[in-house]
Amino acid sequence: MCDKSNNEKGSAIIIALFVMVLLLGFVAFAIIRTNNETVSASNDAAETRTFEAAQASLEVMTRNFDKIFDVKINVSTADETRIAGQIPPEFDDYNFVQTITQRQPNQQVVMTGTQYQGLNASRDEWLLDATAKEKGSGVEVQLRRSFYNNRIPIFQFGIFYDDDLEFHPGPRFDFGGRVHSNASLFLKSGNVLNFSSKVTTHKEIYTDVMRNGNSTTTNGVNIKNAAGNYVELKYNMGSALQSPVNGAPVSTDPDMPVAYKNANWAANESLFQGNVLSNQKTLDLPIRLESNINNTTVDYVELIKRGQDLKTLWNDKTSGSATSPNIVPVTTATKDSDITSRQRYYNGTGIRVTLADRKERLPGCASGTGTNAVTGACGIRLDGDITGAGADPTGTETVPGSSSWSVPKSRGYEPTAMVGGTYKATRVNGERFYINDLKNPKKQTWIKVETVSYDAANNLTVTADITEDFLSLGVTEAAPQVGNDFNIQNPANYYSSAIDSRSIIKLQRFAIVGSATANLPTNTYLTSGTYGVKGYNYVIPAEHPNTGNLSASNPINNGTFASFTGAGVTLSSPTRNFSDNPMHWREAKIANDDSKKQYVVPFPINMFDSREGTYCNGCLNPDGTVFNPINPLSANKWSYHTNVPWMGVMSMVDIDVKNLKRFLDGEFDGKFPKGLTSSQIPSLNGWILYISDRRGDFDFDGEFDMEDIYGNNDCTLQTGEDVNTSGVLDIGGLCLGTTLNPFGINVTEEAPTYFKSGLATAASTDPWRTSFVSPQIAAVLEHKFYRRGVRLINGEKVPGYYDSANPGNTKGFTVASENGLYVQGNYNATGISSIGSPTAAANYLPQNTTDHIPASIAADAITILSNKWNDGQSFITPFSAGSRAPVETTVRFAMIAGDARTSKKDDPSQSPFNEPRMGGGVHNFKRFLENWAGTRLNYSGSIINLYNARNNNGTYKTGFVYNAPNRNWVFDDSFLNPDRLPPGTPFFQFIQLTGFQRVN
């Protein structure tokens, strides 16, 4: 018999052991589970980290891909390799495999479904694959992004305005091409205004009121619908109308005309089947979306301005004043961002030419320490000693051709002789460029010429100083050679060696060809004669008998400009020496006269711009008279008597395009003193030539500080004057409406004083403070003011070539400047083969030959001078356009430029033809200075207005300034071909994401 208690004890033990086993199992399971969960969590964290690394890889590749289009149009194999090799920074614990694949070749598409809807784009499709593998865990993540890359060139627009786009009444206008405004569109026709492509605007379309508030009931605006048929947009059909009143005005801007939403606009808009659209999104270039150091939107004028680079000065406008600007070296904190830097024409691939009145104001020449230190030569001084190194001349020298005539060493750089012959360009007549200005004692004349390229691998702009070699070509317009009537005899090889015939940059000349300015009264400064069929104006510094050597004792009829003579008052000039050192005299034969030795000297290149010369259209004489060298001076009239206002005297940098083409074609290879060759000039789809002349720019901001151009020059900021939107009226010269001394010190030392009645009899000890000057002095002397211009001459054929068999090999040519730019004569065209309404772009010559070059010009403002223009006439009849007669001229280039601001205030004295305060509109966006009435100007291109002009900021005027040409203008549809775009064309570059996925 079993013991019941013992059995119970045994069962309890077994149960306890079983429970313990179960508990041990649970513990072991829990431990295993915990370990597994720990491993899983660790794996999840590693995968998250690796995912983030792969995502960073994708973003870096996308960014680097996007940056390609800051400098070029197409992606190369080298670009793909570079992008694949640039891994994200600070991910050292990962290995990356990056690949970029073009999924679809480039094709032309019409954008849909985006803010760029309806625009033509060059599109290709890409895949970016990023694989990241964590070194420690071995976790690997592969991500893929697919996208369209769209490139929309701004020159595919016939007309593009960043501000209000205005069409004024006038002759038939039928330009063609896409039209867009990032603001409002004002339509008014005087005859026929036809649009054959889509018309869009960000804001409203006004049809019964002009931008200045003047009402209009003019019809005649026709726009094609989607079927290609013209439909009239009548004066009462716009999206915004002056009447009837319908709710609140569409704009609260007090400077905009009052108008209201048109209740019938939707129905009117539908008539054009999508070809007329208001209230669309703005179209912005990359630089617009970039913020500068002050966190404000960058103005498009920065496209043409000098850059802010290390070893370069800039005006830090957060401190300083107009009279004491804070001009300091650029630092890493204030230098241009990558986007702004790459968008500037200043950094465009090709050649950069800069001028300044101090060495340290040239690019890369500012003093610094460490890595910013400037060592060695930097540019060349033109008005110092003969070496150009920067020092003033000291000591004496003997005049060539004399036995003992010792004179003070002359001012002026002498270009280095070229190799392989006797070509040595004319020395700069530094006496006429040097200004000993008491208010700006450091004012000198410096120049720097550089090559510019882009190092994509390191994201750097690379430059090389080629000033000495480039200037060895010359800086002087070759002297005329008219048989025995006018030619230089000494140096004897002047003509046989074709001296100065290679000059590309021209700053001085021996003669003004054209009308005889010496026929004006006070014939002291110029001599004129007609030789052959042309007139010539030249400076004779001295003459003496043919017998004997040059000596100080020989009779000298010296025209040394010891004083100014203007408005009947002789003004002494203690601060300026106008004499010509005999070292610059060149013996010449004139009028086949061998009875005496005669000499000529080179002098600066100037012209008179009547639009810039006066601030209003009717401010000359109340009785209607204008500049007249015979009229007696009247103290109560706006008469300049025999003088011209300093305000319109423009100092020119002439660019001989033909000689530049010769250089880039290799004609001068092997002839440069330091071995420069054409192959050393960087090229990217062609060349960009950038020019900036800041001589006289006192505060060094690239802007002319005289905005007081409306009203009565009254020192009061008025709507339309503040072109740089600073909120402050910039005043370079003193105002006329004040009791201040009219010959007092200019506020910024950049601008002369505007002229007003009663001022002519005032005396001054410093003639630079006067508002006017003898035309002869103005024509042949350097001045101190920031009135600078760049002029393209001999440009019928421009550098580059068109390769019809392989269009991708085509090379174009672009000129850009922050100064006002003047195009003289035919440019990139020889003429047209037929006349149309308008002449089709295909009928511009040459057409589809090697000389049909993609060309563009970007500048502060662009003025067209005809094939007949001459500078002498601009000084003889500055206020009589009828005496400046042009001839038919043909130009072909896309243009980016600025205009004058239009404002609503009604002041009829400011603008002609009942268009007060108007900027001139598209019809007058290209500026003119001749009486074009009845004469045809042929233009093929693209018209782009992105900013208000800062330097050539004179108001829109006709009458004494110009009369309009017969506008035979057309959109150049060759720009729709991406292979035929000018170099540096700005792009609306838009990446359109189409997919994102994890591959593994």
Side-chain angles (χ1 to χ4, degrees):
M1 171 176 183
C2 295
D3 189 329
K4 183 177 180 180
S5 62
N6 288 335
N7 290 338
E8 291 175 349
K9 290 179 181 178
S11 298
I13 291 172
I14 293 171
I15 293 170
L17 290 172
F18 182 71
V19 170
M20 289 179 64
V21 170
L22 289 174
L23 290 173
L24 288 171
F26 287 144
V27 170
F29 178 76
I31 291 173
I32 292 171
R33 181 174 180 180
T34 300
N35 287 337
N36 288 340
E37 288 179 347
T38 300
V39 171
S40 178
S42 178
N43 287 341
D44 286 346
E47 186 162 339
T48 299
R49 294 193 302 270
T50 308
F51 187 96
E52 292 173 350
Q55 179 73 22
S57 174
L58 269 187
E59 296 304 324
V60 169
M61 282 199 292
T62 303
R63 178 177 180 273
N64 288 336
F65 185 93
D66 186 58
K67 287 170 68 65
I68 293 172
F69 301 96
D70 289 339
V71 295
K72 60 168 64 176
I73 298 174
N74 299 312
V75 181
S76 67
T77 302
D79 292 324
E80 295 181 33
T81 301
R82 177 176 54 82
I83 292 171
Q86 292 180 314
I87 63 175
E90 300 181 4
F91 282 85
D92 298 334
D93 296 332
Y94 298 85
N95 292 321
F96 292 93
V97 177
Q98 302 180 144
T99 61
I100 176 170
T101 307
Q102 185 171 356
R103 188 182 229 177
Q104 175 182 294
N106 181 270
Q107 59 180 332
Q108 295 299 304
V109 300
V110 178
M111 299 289 289
T112 59
T114 72
Q115 63 174 326
Y116 303 103
Q117 182 174 358
L119 292 174
N120 296 327
S122 296
R123 168 184 289 175
D124 34 51
E125 186 176 5
W126 295 83
L127 290 180
L128 300 180
D129 285 293
T131 302
K133 184 175 183 179
E134 191 174 50
K135 296 177 181 179
S137 66
V139 173
E140 182 176 287
V141 173
Q142 182 179 359
L143 301 179
R144 172 174 292 170
R145 171 174 288 162
S146 60
F147 59 89
Y148 292 136
N149 180 52
N150 302 291
R151 297 174 304 283
I152 305 167
I154 197 168
F155 294 143
Q156 84 160 50
F157 286 90
I159 301 169
F160 182 102
Y161 269 48
D162 190 56
D163 59 3
D164 294 325
L165 173 53
E166 305 167 52
F167 286 90
H168 293 194
R172 181 187 180 97
F173 195 87
D174 191 351
F175 187 68
R178 177 77 179 264
V179 176
H180 177 79
S181 167
N182 270 348
S184 295
L185 176 61
F186 291 84
L187 297 176
K188 182 177 180 180
S189 173
N191 190 335
V192 174
L193 177 58
N194 287 341
F195 297 93
S196 56
S197 299
K198 179 174 286 191
V199 177
T200 58
T201 183
H202 172 55
K203 295 181 179 178
E204 304 296 339
I205 298 176
Y206 295 77
T207 53
D208 70 344
V209 62
M210 298 175 69
R211 174 64 180 81
N212 65 350
N214 285 1
S215 300
T216 177
T217 58
T218 305
N219 292 319
V221 176
N222 305 293
I223 306 172
K224 283 186 177 180
N225 60 19
N229 300 316
Y230 279 112
V231 177
E232 187 174 18
L233 181 67
K234 296 182 179 181
Y235 80 93
N236 59 354
M237 292 175 61
S239 68
L241 298 175
Q242 197 173 33
S243 63
V245 174
N246 180 25
V250 294
S251 175
T252 58
D253 184 349
D255 188 45
M256 288 292 288
V258 177
Y260 306 89
K261 196 70 177 180
N262 180 1
N264 297 321
W265 173 241
N268 295 341
E269 191 178 41
S270 67
L271 297 174
F272 302 92
Q273 302 169 334
N275 272 2
V276 177
L277 299 172
S278 65
N279 303 113
Q280 300 297 294
K281 293 182 179 180
T282 59
L283 303 179
D284 298 314
L285 298 172
I287 196 172
R288 168 56 58 82
L289 306 176
E290 180 74 2
S291 293
N292 62 16
I293 59 170
N294 297 320
N295 199 31
T296 57
T297 301
V298 174
D299 193 294
Y300 278 142
V301 75
E302 297 298 326
L303 287 168
I304 60 169
K305 278 196 173 184
R306 288 195 191 183
Q308 290 178 206
D309 307 323
L310 296 177
K311 302 183 183 180
T312 299
L313 296 179
W314 76 299
N315 183 343
D316 180 5
K317 293 190 176 183
T318 60
S319 58
S321 64
T323 55
S324 182
N326 187 32
I327 301 172
V328 295
V330 173
T331 66
T332 53
T334 59
K335 71 176 183 178
D336 282 337
S337 69
D338 288 347
I339 291 177
T340 298
S341 176
R342 291 313 316 149
Q343 292 287 303
R344 291 191 193 275
Y345 281 101
Y346 167 88
N347 291 319
T349 300
I351 301 173
R352 178 197 295 167
V353 179
T354 49
L355 293 97
D357 46 23
R358 304 183 192 183
K359 176 181 180 179
E360 62 269 24
R361 292 189 175 188
L362 294 174
C365 296
S367 58
T369 59
T371 58
N372 289 334
V374 177
T375 59
C378 200
I380 285 175
R381 184 182 176 189
L382 298 177
D383 65 335
D385 67 20
I386 197 169
T387 68
D392 288 319
T394 58
T396 61
E397 55 191 332
T398 301
V399 178
S402 70
S403 58
S404 61
W405 188 7
S406 180
V407 298
K409 283 191 175 180
S410 59
R411 292 184 175 276
Y413 170 68
E414 183 170 86
T416 307
M418 298 194 81
V419 175
T422 57
Y423 189 96
K424 187 174 184 179
T426 298
R427 186 179 176 186
V428 176
N429 188 354
E431 313 298 339
R432 287 183 177 249
F433 283 93
Y434 177 69
I435 295 177
N436 183 18
D437 180 28
L438 297 179
K439 298 301 176 182
N440 190 6
K442 293 184 179 181
K443 187 183 185 308
Q444 300 170 352
T445 299
W446 285 83
I447 187 171
K448 187 176 185 181
V449 185
E450 304 168 273
T451 62
V452 184
S453 61
Y454 177 64
D455 178 358
N458 297 299
N459 191 28
L460 293 174
T461 298
V462 180
T463 63
D465 191 329
I466 59 170
T467 312
E468 182 179 347
D469 264 356
F470 209 80
L471 296 192
S472 70
L473 296 166
V475 292
T476 308
E477 173 70 39
Q481 182 180 15
V482 191
N484 287 323
D485 284 337
F486 191 101
N487 61 71
I488 291 179
Q489 304 288 300
N490 184 23
N493 63 345
Y494 186 90
Y495 289 108
S496 62
S497 297
I499 292 176
D500 297 327
S501 64
R502 301 171 181 171
S503 301
I504 295 174
I505 302 170
K506 299 181 178 182
L507 300 173
Q508 62 180 15
R509 56 187 168 192
F510 282 101
I512 302 174
V513 181
S515 306
T517 60
N519 292 336
L520 295 171
T522 319
N523 184 5
T524 307
Y525 313 106
L526 275 169
T527 302
S528 296
T530 300
Y531 310 121
V533 295
K534 296 180 180 179
Y536 295 88
N537 300 271
Y538 47 92
V539 175
I540 300 180
E543 60 185 37
H544 59 83
N546 195 27
T547 57
N549 294 321
L550 282 174
S551 69
S553 62
N554 272 349
I556 296 176
N557 176 17
N558 198 346
T560 54
F561 302 158
S563 65
F564 269 26
T565 301
V569 180
T570 298
L571 305 172
S572 62
S573 180
T575 63
R576 173 85 186 248
N577 176 13
F578 295 116
S579 64
D580 292 288
N581 191 298
M583 296 299 295
H584 295 292
W585 297 5
R586 293 292 179 265
E587 185 179 340
K589 176 175 283 190
I590 300 175
N592 200 23
D593 184 357
D594 292 325
S595 64
K596 57 187 176 183
K597 287 186 177 180
Q598 300 180 79
Y599 294 85
V600 295
V601 294
F603 50 86
I605 300 175
N606 296 329
M607 61 165 277
F608 189 80
D609 185 328
S610 51
R611 172 168 173 155
E612 298 299 312
T614 58
Y615 74 88
C616 70
N617 200 54
C619 62
L620 293 176
N621 294 329
D623 62 0
T625 60
V626 292
F627 176 91
N628 189 328
I630 299 175
N631 275 355
L633 176 67
S634 171
N636 297 317
K637 292 183 178 181
W638 283 89
S639 173
Y640 289 98
H641 191 42
T642 62
N643 300 297
V644 294
W646 273 118
M647 197 68 72
V649 179
M650 309 299 289
S651 169
M652 307 304 292
V653 177
D654 278 358
I655 301 295
D656 193 312
V657 179
K658 180 179 180 179
N659 282 347
L660 178 60
K661 177 176 171 56
R662 294 171 65 195
F663 164 63
L664 291 173
D665 286 346
E667 184 175 334
F668 307 137
D669 287 356
K671 299 177 181 178
F672 288 97
K674 288 191 171 182
L676 177 68
T677 63
S678 57
S679 62
Q680 294 175 20
I681 307 301
S683 172
L684 187 64
N685 306 315
W687 303 272
I688 295 175
L689 173 66
Y690 179 84
I691 310 114
S692 165
D693 185 355
R694 287 195 179 181
R695 290 175 293 166
D697 186 7
F698 179 76
D699 61 349
F700 200 63
D701 63 353
E703 298 182 0
F704 180 55
D705 294 335
M706 170 49 83
E707 293 182 329
D708 196 17
I709 58 175
Y710 283 139
N712 195 28
N713 190 224
D714 54 5
C715 286
T716 302
L717 177 61
Q718 300 181 57
T719 305
E721 290 183 326
D722 185 18
V723 292
N724 62 8
T725 63
S726 65
V728 177
L729 182 68
D730 296 327
I731 307 171
L734 295 180
C735 308
L736 300 180
T738 69
T739 58
L740 297 174
N741 174 9
F743 297 113
I745 304 304
N746 294 330
V747 174
T748 65
E749 294 295 314
E750 285 188 17
T753 302
Y754 274 122
F755 174 66
K756 188 177 182 179
S757 60
L759 302 188
T761 57
S764 171
T765 59
D766 188 349
W768 289 115
R769 307 297 174 240
T770 66
S771 61
F772 46 81
V773 64
S774 161
Q776 296 177 346
I777 292 177
V780 298
L781 286 176
E782 167 71 346
H783 59 67
K784 63 163 285 181
F785 307 116
Y786 187 39
R787 299 265 70 186
R788 308 291 167 181
V790 175
R791 181 163 56 182
L792 305 180
I793 62 174
N794 299 328
E796 195 166 82
K797 290 185 178 181
V798 304
Y801 58 84
Y802 170 57
D803 188 339
S804 58
N806 298 288
N809 295 330
T810 296
K811 288 186 179 295
F813 180 61
T814 291
V815 180
S817 177
E818 65 179 356
N819 304 107
L821 191 141
Y822 300 76
V823 179
Q824 181 173 334
N826 289 351
Y827 190 83
N828 194 32
T830 58
I832 55 176
S833 61
S834 64
I835 301 172
S837 297
T839 296
N843 291 329
Y844 278 68
L845 303 174
Q847 184 64 214
N848 291 334
T849 71
T850 55
D851 291 327
H852 183 180
I853 311 301
S856 67
I857 297 174
D860 179 73
I862 296 175
T863 302
I864 305 297
L865 306 174
S866 80
N867 287 304
K868 194 179 177 182
W869 171 269
N870 75 78
D871 294 340
Q873 195 64 47
S874 75
F875 286 107
I876 294 174
T877 57
F879 306 120
S880 178
S883 299
R884 301 189 297 274
V887 294
E888 180 174 343
T889 303
T890 303
V891 295
R892 176 169 52 184
F893 58 85
M895 62 180 291
I896 296 176
D899 61 353
R901 290 187 63 184
T902 296
S903 66
K904 193 178 72 171
K905 184 175 179 180
D906 190 351
D907 186 349
S909 70
Q910 306 306 321
S911 289
F913 304 130
N914 297 315
E915 297 180 0
R917 293 291 181 97
M918 302 295 277
V922 177
H923 295 66
N924 302 291
F925 185 51
K926 286 185 287 294
R927 303 183 180 189
F928 308 100
L929 296 175
E930 298 165 273
N931 179 25
W932 286 86
T935 304
R936 187 166 53 247
L937 173 69
N938 308 310
Y939 170 76
S940 176
S942 171
I943 299 173
I944 311 296
N945 175 20
L946 297 180
Y947 39 82
N948 296 124
R950 305 296 207 269
N951 289 315
N952 283 33
N953 67 331
T955 58
Y956 159 58
K957 314 174 187 77
T958 62
F960 71 83
V961 175
Y962 80 101
N963 286 306
N966 290 348
R967 300 178 178 96
N968 185 29
W969 300 356
V970 67
F971 170 60
D972 189 344
D973 52 15
S974 70
F975 294 143
L976 298 178
N977 183 339
D979 292 323
R980 302 185 70 172
L981 289 168
T985 296
F987 278 77
F988 306 108
Q989 198 265 333
F990 176 54
I991 288 181
Q992 189 175 359
L993 299 179
T994 58
F996 176 82
Q997 67 182 109
R998 178 169 177 173
V999 178
N1000 59 341

